[in-house]
Amino acid sequence: MADEEPSLPLRWFWNAYARAYDFIWDSPLTEAIMREATRAVPKAGSRASCAVDLGCGTGLSARALDSRGYDVVGVDSCGCMLSRAVAYGRVSRVVLTDAASSGLADASAGIVCAANVLHLHARPTDVLDEAHRLLVPGGVLLCVWPADTLTLGYLLSADMRAGRGAASALAAAACRLAFGVMGAPLGARRHASEEVRACVGTWALGRGYRVIDQGVAERVSEYAVMRKVDVDANST
């Protein structure tokens, strides 16, 4: 989750959501989505073994990066989310701040992940610009956001098909519905999926990023994996 200086009710919402987040989303479906979304992500190398997860939440997406040998830094503006990411050992360290202003060093990350944050942030392009600043030349940017065809009903069925028990899947669906109803009037979601897709595509084209993989994982999440132009390599 990430939102620049959220209102008090919205902060309350994200703190409450943090307490239920893993019950809702820590599932075989989420693992399957991230496996597909990260299949083109290279393993960590000596050049840059640090990964930054912008809007990391409780660190569910960070697990896929950790499995590839990256040392993951989680950035989020919700302290309750970050405390869980640390408690579950999903990140090596955290930064409590907006996803668009991590304060981390320039060109310090081999990969930057922006999973399920762009549709929530007031200015998703600012998050992408922050990712660009953090990446080393040749580094990889992973973006994930909800598919525009996604419904609560399909998500429930996908959850069970991925291997989640019916009772647990139904309870998670009820929680998703409840938080959706609470978050809508507070403006928890800022952008539709097609807006995010257009934003990512336009931004990548303008920055000269090369798309190395993209698709819709499990018909639930869209993703794009892009490589930052390696200036040194192009100049030789």
Side-chain angles (χ1 to χ4, degrees):
M1 163 265 164
D3 191 0
E4 188 175 4
E5 298 183 3
S7 64
L8 183 60
L10 199 53
R11 287 200 300 271
W12 173 87
F13 169 81
W14 288 120
N15 286 334
Y17 195 23
R19 290 169 171 81
Y21 196 85
D22 282 284
F23 173 73
I24 296 171
W25 297 109
D26 188 6
S27 68
L29 177 61
T30 295
E31 292 179 3
I33 289 168
M34 289 308 298
R35 274 197 306 272
E36 182 171 348
T38 58
R39 63 188 176 185
V41 172
K43 292 184 178 180
S46 58
R47 185 182 185 190
S49 62
C50 175
V52 178
D53 191 351
L54 296 175
C56 69
T58 64
L60 291 180
S61 299
R63 294 187 303 196
L65 306 178
D66 177 76
S67 69
R68 279 170 162 68
Y70 288 94
D71 184 35
V72 185
V73 179
V75 178
D76 205 287
S77 61
C78 177
C80 287
M81 292 279 192
L82 290 179
S83 66
R84 282 158 174 74
V86 172
Y88 296 136
R90 295 169 182 161
V91 294
S92 59
R93 64 187 179 99
V94 297
V95 181
L96 178 61
T97 188
D98 185 76
S101 54
S102 70
L104 298 170
D106 292 358
S108 57
I111 180 170
V112 174
C113 177
N116 297 314
V117 61
L118 298 175
H119 64 295
L120 303 175
H121 200 279
R123 293 181 294 278
T125 301
D126 288 0
V127 179
L128 297 171
D129 286 343
E130 177 68 356
H132 177 73
R133 183 185 70 81
L134 293 170
L135 282 171
V136 298
V140 170
L141 171 58
L142 167 65
C143 297
V144 184
W145 63 94
D148 54 10
T149 56
L150 186 62
T151 65
L152 289 174
Y154 181 80
L155 194 51
L156 171 60
S157 63
D159 218 4
M160 291 190 288
R161 282 199 305 275
R164 192 169 191 170
S168 177
L170 284 167
C175 285
R176 274 192 291 268
L177 177 60
F179 278 101
V181 170
M182 285 189 292
L186 299 176
R189 179 165 182 165
R190 304 296 189 92
H191 310 284
S193 299
E194 57 268 26
E195 293 179 89
V196 176
R197 186 187 315 114
C199 175
V200 170
T202 301
W203 180 89
L205 184 63
R207 288 286 193 177
Y209 275 63
R210 182 169 65 89
V211 177
I212 57 177
D213 193 20
Q214 61 184 339
V216 182
E218 304 295 322
R219 291 179 56 197
V220 170
S221 296
E222 294 191 47
Y223 65 92
V225 184
M226 302 169 286
R227 189 177 298 281
K228 184 178 182 179
V229 173
D230 191 332
V231 176
D232 293 334
N234 289 343
S235 62
T236 58

